[in-house]
Amino acid sequence: GQQLNQSPQSMFIQEGEDVSMNCTSSSIFNTWLWYKQEPGEGPVLLIALYKAGELTSNGRLTAQFGITRKDSFLNISASIPSDVGIYFCAGQLSGGTSYGKLTFGQGTILTVHP
Amino acid sequence: NAGVTQTPKFRILKIGQSMTLQCTQDMNHNYMYWYRQDPGMGLKLIYYSVGAGITDKGEVPNGYNVSRSTTEDFPLRLELAAPSQTSVYFCASSYSIYEQYFGPGTRLTVT
């Protein structure tokens, strides 16, 4: 199936640092979504992006839908310990057979040291 | 609103046994989904439904079956459980096709 390449796989940072992660694909996506998953829980939607070039913020989180529609970026500013978790990108591929289905990246594991 | 609820939270099955994972949502969402998540991996779509009575296969449907008789419920059936089905299973629902809301998951071990 289609793959999203999410990087980095893991990050170990100090509290207060900024964080950047991204997802890339060789395919074109109509929609990009960013989710956070905490241990023992299901993923929680953070940000949804619907148009190429769109830049959207949710508190300290900012995400962008790449102009080529093949990538997306998530930035977290001034990280805090509760930012710890796994961050997933997800997208809906362009094309009728992909309607209603999301493709997920492998996740970025974020660890924040106080 | 409870959102998306899943039962059970944990289950151990012996090889060849069958079971049904339950999923219920109270948000009146038309779209519902079943995913599996293996360690260190993203989520892979097993089956999805765009409304009561309508289901379709996802990326990894083999070994599973679903039904959708009501808007609220979307059970996932495992027949003849195999060790390869050891995973965490997530149910999700959405109003639009994009913004999916996930349940807390069912951790299944097949031995």
Side-chain angles (χ1 to χ4, degrees), chain A residues 47-85:
Chain A
I47 293 179
L49 302 158
Y50 298 105
K51 292 191 299 188
E54 181 179 355
L55 185 71
T56 297
S57 293
N58 178 6
R60 293 178 295 104
L61 278 62
T62 301
Q64 184 161 24
F65 192 143
I67 288 291
T68 64
R69 296 172 61 193
K70 294 182 179 181
D71 57 8
S72 180
F73 303 86
L74 175 70
N75 295 320
I76 305 172
S77 63
S79 59
I80 59 178
S82 62
D83 289 334
V84 164

Side-chain angles (χ1 to χ4, degrees), chain A residues 1-2 30-31 33 35 37 40-45 48 50 86 88 92 97 99-107, chain B residues 9 31 33 35 37 40-45 48 56-59 90 96-105 107:
Chain A
Q2 294 293 334
N30 287 333
T31 304
L33 303 157
Y35 286 86
Q37 185 179 25
E41 303 291 330
V44 173
L45 181 64
Y50 298 105
I86 305 175
F88 290 100
Q92 194 208 24
T97 58
Y99 188 82
K101 295 184 275 191
L102 292 178
T103 299
F104 280 81
Q106 306 97 313
Chain B
K9 286 191 74 69
Y31 298 88
Y33 309 82
Y35 293 90
Q37 184 178 34
M41 305 292 287
L43 289 90
K44 294 199 181 295
L45 183 65
Y48 70 107
D56 205 352
K57 296 178 181 178
E59 187 181 354
F90 289 101
S96 77
I97 61 174
Y98 304 117
E99 299 180 17
Q100 298 180 16
Y101 295 86
F102 286 79
R107 187 174 298 274

Side-chain angles (χ1 to χ4, degrees), chain B residues 88-110:
Chain B
V88 182
Y89 291 84
F90 289 101
C91 178
S93 73
S94 63
Y95 174 73
S96 77
I97 61 174
Y98 304 117
E99 299 180 17
Q100 298 180 16
Y101 295 86
F102 286 79
T106 294
R107 187 174 298 274
L108 176 67
T109 301
V110 182

Side-chain angles (χ1 to χ4, degrees), chain A residues 2 7-8 15 34 38 68 73 75-76 85 94 96 99 108-109:
Chain A
Q2 294 293 334
S7 65
E15 183 177 359
W34 285 92
E38 297 187 9
T68 64
F73 303 86
N75 295 320
I76 305 172
S94 177
Y99 188 82
T108 294
I109 302 170

Side-chain angles (χ1 to χ4, degrees), chain B:
Chain B
N1 284 351
V4 179
T5 57
Q6 292 182 239
T7 56
K9 286 191 74 69
F10 304 94
R11 184 72 186 267
I12 299 174
L13 280 182
K14 293 191 185 305
I15 294 171
Q17 287 185 322
S18 300
M19 76 164 293
T20 299
L21 281 67
Q22 302 291 345
C23 175
T24 300
Q25 53 94 6
D26 63 0
M27 297 175 281
N28 201 33
H29 287 168
N30 283 328
Y31 298 88
M32 295 189 75
Y33 309 82
W34 274 106
Y35 293 90
R36 61 176 287 171
Q37 184 178 34
D38 298 321
M41 305 292 287
L43 289 90
K44 294 199 181 295
L45 183 65
I46 305 171
Y47 271 95
Y48 70 107
S49 169
V50 300
I54 306 169
T55 62
D56 205 352
K57 296 178 181 178
E59 187 181 354
V60 290
N62 291 343
Y64 307 95
N65 276 301
V66 294
S67 60
R68 183 100 181 268
S69 56
T70 66
T71 299
E72 296 77 19
D73 301 306
F74 190 39
L76 177 72
R77 179 81 178 161
L78 277 73
E79 305 282 1
L80 298 175
S84 61
Q85 293 178 304
T86 293
S87 189
V88 182
Y89 291 84
F90 289 101
C91 178
S93 73
S94 63
Y95 174 73
S96 77
I97 61 174
Y98 304 117
E99 299 180 17
Q100 298 180 16
Y101 295 86
F102 286 79
T106 294
R107 187 174 298 274
L108 176 67
T109 301
V110 182
T111 62

Side-chain angles (χ1 to χ4, degrees), chain A residues 12-27:
Chain A
F12 298 84
I13 63 170
Q14 292 292 130
E15 183 177 359
E17 289 183 6
D18 296 342
V19 172
S20 291
M21 59 190 78
N22 68 82
C23 268
T24 61
S25 176
S26 58
S27 301

